Amino acid sequence: ACFEQFPTAREIETLLAEFDSPWLGYVHDFGHAERQAQLGFLDHAEQLQRLGSRLIACHVHDLVWPDEDHAVPGQGIIDFRQLIPMLPKNADVVWEIQKRRKSADIKAALTHRKETFS
């Protein structure tokens, strides 16, 4: 993925301000946001703080910098311990992981997530 393929944090904020409606929200993509953070376009935690009230769902996957996206959470560089607690309690959470990942790795990550964040 390239940074120009998805809106920047400022573009998302502008859209949400322009269409200030309870029916319009934002879906946070952890891997894509982290890629933008690594490129210096945003601060991942700051984006969640600023836009969290409008967040309705998120795609959770990890990033192995610089070019491996959709990794199993915990196998890359994303600081989930810092970021997951920032999600609204009612946000839908979808794990977006490539099918070539090992099922044992996914099960271990899910167990870790339940133990850490539940």
Side-chain angles (χ1 to χ4, degrees), residues 21-58:
S21 165
W23 301 105
L24 180 67
Y26 137 76
V27 176
H28 185 80
D29 189 302
F30 275 86
H32 296 178
E34 188 62 32
R35 183 178 303 280
Q36 286 186 349
Q38 294 298 314
L39 292 170
F41 292 116
L42 62 85
D43 178 291
H44 200 157
E46 183 180 298
Q47 179 178 351
L48 279 175
Q49 286 174 332
R50 281 197 331 270
L51 300 175
S53 66
R54 300 292 297 275
L55 190 146
I56 56 174
C58 62

Side-chain angles (χ1 to χ4, degrees), residues 55-68:
L55 190 146
I56 56 174
C58 62
H59 296 165
V60 176
H61 55 95
D62 217 332
L63 174 69
V64 179
W65 185 254
D67 61 354
E68 188 178 340

Side-chain angles (χ1 to χ4, degrees), residues 30 34 44-45 48 60-62 73-87 89 108-109 111-118:
F30 275 86
E34 188 62 32
H44 200 157
L48 279 175
V60 176
H61 55 95
D62 217 332
Q75 293 187 340
I77 62 172
I78 297 178
D79 185 357
F80 290 105
R81 287 188 185 272
Q82 177 193 19
L83 300 174
I84 293 289
M86 299 171 76
L87 297 175
K89 298 298 180 208
T111 298
H112 178 262
R113 184 222 179 269
K114 288 178 181 178
E115 292 171 353
T116 305
F117 300 110
S118 294

